[in-house]
Amino acid sequence: MTAPLFKAGYLPGLNDADVTWHRLNVGTPEAPLQVEVPQLSPSQMTALAQRVQHASRTHLKPMAVSDIVRVLDQATARLLDREDAVRQELERLLPQVTGFDAEMVRLNLHAYLHTFRSLQLQRFVAEDFANPKVLDEFQPRTQGGWTRALGPELLVHVWAGNVPALPMWSFVSGLLVKAGSIGKVASAEPVFATLLAKLLVEVEPRWADCFAVVWWPSGAAHERTAFALADVVLAYGGNTALQAMQAHVPVTTRFLPHGHKLSFGMVSACALSVRKGPGVARQAALDVARYDQQGCYSPHVFYVQRGAAVSPRDFAQHLAHELAGLQHKLPRRVLSLEEAAQVGAWREAHEFASLNDNSTALSGTDRSTSTVVYSDRPLPLTAGPLNRQVLVVAVDTLDEVLPLIAPQRDYLQTVGVAAAPGELLPLGEALGQAGVTRICALGAMTSPEAGWHHDGRFSLLDLVRMVDIEASTEREAERFTPYEV
């Protein structure tokens, strides 16, 4: 059987016949898919960048941010409509190219896309700019003078492929600051950005040349060419890959990397009554199951406080039961041989430990797809093998968690918390001092809100440069008016 073919990329001004196409074989043996990705020559990349810069200068930068939000809202509405042809193609192709269950893709895509409706996008802009009109024109400064935010002439995105639709965050961010964009798709997920670019042009034809979607082999000369043309490079990936990329970025180009991160959960005793405890475990299971812990915001460990009606060991059993139930609703994807070996080694190590240590136990009714390891003694935060393998660690107080996460300070990101209101701010202060950048409810770890500070940074403000007209300039200008005597 010949595998179907999907042609990735969006290349304004270039003819397909003039482009070298690299073929990727993705999907599973049961549902193979061939993807052709564009591999441009340095001269083609330069011409494409110049076209994108010119078009964005002409058609995107003069638009009011409110009008850009309107276009993005219309595009998102189509993506949310399951009767729309683009949404149907996403639902067909994303499970095939990523291996994730179709129902998981459908549910998570729907929840994710709501972040990009008009009201959320307005909050997204307001989070970084108290006065969003600063993106449209000079605005008065409180201390006198005027200020203006200007987006890059060319923003180059390097996208990761671990989670479907991830490129939408940076793609939308670039548009909101009126940047011409060139995005490099990941070999593991070249579908979403391709279809998004084509949809945006359907909704707003004036944007036809304002962005492009390309591909190049990691570390190739194409990367140096693209980075040399950019004002800002926004990159996602593993730390080793990002370090290699940074070596190719000119010193005059701003480099914004988002690398490997670690996330975990914390459950206070106050959330573990007989009535509430099982529901908390259900929310924790959703955080583990969504995209099989592939996101940087997915939990690896849950630290659970002793002293409640539902003990930490009970919580581990509830969590294992919920994960087993989710396997029927949201089946785990088929693992590669390497992934299966990593899961097997992790599980065997803990099984061996449980034979020699009564404080360690494995919970669960379906260890073929998920494993919950319970530890009655404190264990430091470490990365697991992903794919629904998780630790539950008992602690006497939540303060005990801080030294356990301290060695991972540089990698901390999201903490899912189940705690009482009086605990939140003290806990937030302690976690923030420890290096954590995002705290949310359990069940929301994989769904960041619009305008979240990704890895503690600004989504939009980091992309722009500010131009100030100081008050002295304005005062001095008064001397040169025709009515000045």
Side-chain angles (χ1 to χ4, degrees):
M1 181 183 69
T2 303
L5 178 67
F6 175 77
K7 183 161 280 192
Y10 177 72
L11 308 171
L14 293 177
N15 295 318
D16 285 359
D18 297 329
V19 173
T20 299
W21 295 88
H22 177 76
R23 184 162 294 190
L24 305 170
N25 293 304
V26 298
T28 64
E30 297 77 22
L33 178 67
Q34 292 185 333
V35 177
E36 286 189 339
V37 289
Q39 192 167 340
L40 306 184
S41 68
S43 61
Q44 287 174 324
M45 183 70 78
T46 300
L48 184 65
Q50 291 172 345
R51 188 182 188 96
V52 166
Q53 287 172 310
H54 175 75
S56 64
R57 216 176 287 132
T58 304
H59 300 294
L60 185 58
K61 293 189 185 299
M63 290 184 72
V65 171
S66 57
D67 291 333
I68 294 173
V69 167
R70 175 185 51 78
V71 174
L72 294 171
D73 183 64
Q74 291 174 2
T76 303
R78 286 190 54 183
L79 291 173
L80 284 164
D81 181 5
R82 296 196 69 203
E83 300 300 317
D84 188 90
V86 177
R87 173 60 185 256
Q88 290 175 350
E89 194 165 8
L90 285 172
E91 289 195 17
R92 178 177 64 85
L93 290 172
L94 286 178
Q96 195 170 359
V97 75
T98 63
F100 288 115
D101 175 68
E103 183 68 2
M104 180 184 290
V105 170
R106 184 186 72 81
L107 291 174
N108 286 290
L109 191 61
H110 204 72
Y112 176 70
L113 289 169
H114 276 281
T115 310
F116 301 97
R117 296 307 307 267
S118 176
L119 292 178
Q120 284 70 33
L121 289 178
Q122 290 179 61
R123 293 189 185 98
F124 196 174
V125 176
E127 186 69 36
D128 284 11
F129 300 100
N131 180 0
K133 283 185 69 62
V134 76
L135 288 161
D136 296 334
E137 58 191 12
F138 276 100
Q139 293 292 298
R141 301 171 69 196
T142 53
Q143 65 266 49
W146 301 78
T147 193
R148 172 86 155 88
L150 294 172
E153 290 283 296
L154 184 65
L155 169 62
V156 170
H157 314 248
V158 180
W159 293 312
N162 54 324
V163 176
L166 181 66
M168 195 162 182
W169 275 114
S170 70
F171 207 141
V172 166
S173 296
L175 289 169
L176 288 173
V177 299
K178 310 180 185 182
S181 287
I182 293 179
K184 180 221 170 187
V185 293
S187 299
E189 204 284 81
V191 169
F192 187 88
T194 298
L195 296 180
L196 176 61
K198 294 176 179 178
L199 173 61
L200 288 170
V201 173
E202 287 183 28
V203 175
E204 177 49 271
R206 289 178 296 174
W207 288 2
D209 294 347
C210 293
F211 40 73
V213 176
V214 301
W215 178 88
W216 61 75
S218 296
H222 308 71
E223 190 164 89
R224 285 187 172 87
T225 301
F227 291 175
L229 296 165
D231 300 296
V232 179
V233 174
L234 177 58
Y236 301 82
N239 291 357
T240 302
L242 289 171
Q243 190 172 17
M245 282 182 220
Q246 189 168 20
H248 298 162
V249 178
V251 69
T252 53
T253 298
R254 192 180 308 169
F255 183 59
L256 304 173
H258 291 288
H260 172 69
K261 295 296 177 183
L262 267 176
S263 298
F264 61 96
M266 297 178 70
V267 182
S268 168
C270 68
L272 293 173
S273 66
V274 172
R275 183 172 64 86
K276 297 173 185 174
V280 174
R282 189 173 306 117
Q283 295 302 101
L286 287 170
D287 285 332
V288 173
R290 288 191 184 112
Y291 290 134
D292 300 338
Q293 295 172 287
Q294 296 296 317
C296 56
Y297 33 54
S298 299
H300 294 254
V301 180
F302 290 99
Y303 292 101
V304 182
Q305 188 179 8
R306 297 184 181 95
V310 175
S311 69
R313 189 182 292 265
D314 294 335
F315 179 85
Q317 293 173 341
H318 284 303
L319 178 59
H321 175 76
E322 293 294 340
L323 285 171
L326 285 172
Q327 174 62 19
H328 300 290
K329 182 179 180 182
L330 303 173
R332 190 186 71 181
R333 65 188 177 89
V334 177
L335 303 187
S336 68
L337 291 176
E338 181 182 1
E339 289 172 324
Q342 291 172 345
V343 167
W346 183 86
R347 188 181 292 153
E348 287 175 8
H350 286 291
E351 286 175 343
F352 181 78
S354 68
L355 295 175
N356 299 281
D357 185 355
N358 292 332
S359 68
T360 302
L362 272 70
S363 301
T365 56
D366 187 6
R367 294 179 192 169
S368 63
T369 56
S370 60
T371 307
V372 178
V373 174
Y374 169 73
S375 176
D376 201 45
R377 58 185 178 84
L379 291 178
L381 176 65
T382 56
L386 312 181
N387 299 300
R388 309 193 190 188
Q389 316 297 309
V390 68
L391 279 168
V392 172
V393 177
V395 293
D396 289 326
T397 69
L398 296 183
D399 289 340
E400 291 180 26
V401 175
L402 299 176
L404 299 176
I405 65 174
Q408 303 288 4
R409 179 184 179 85
D410 292 341
Y411 303 101
L412 298 178
Q413 195 208 68
T414 296
V415 180
V417 170
E423 296 174 300
L424 285 182
L425 290 183
L427 190 59
E429 180 68 25
L431 289 172
Q433 295 290 346
V436 170
T437 59
R438 175 174 173 250
I439 301 168
C440 65
L442 286 180
M445 292 182 69
T446 62
S447 303
E449 295 178 351
W452 73 304
H453 296 103
H454 191 176
D455 296 340
R457 295 301 311 164
F458 295 97
S459 296
L460 303 180
L461 201 55
D462 279 353
L463 299 178
V464 304
R465 59 184 176 89
M466 304 302 296
V467 180
D468 295 332
I469 300 176
E470 294 188 354
S472 61
T473 317
E474 186 177 359
R475 289 193 301 269
E476 188 69 8
E478 286 294 327
R479 294 179 52 224
F480 310 120
T481 58
Y483 49 79
E484 179 68 17
V485 294

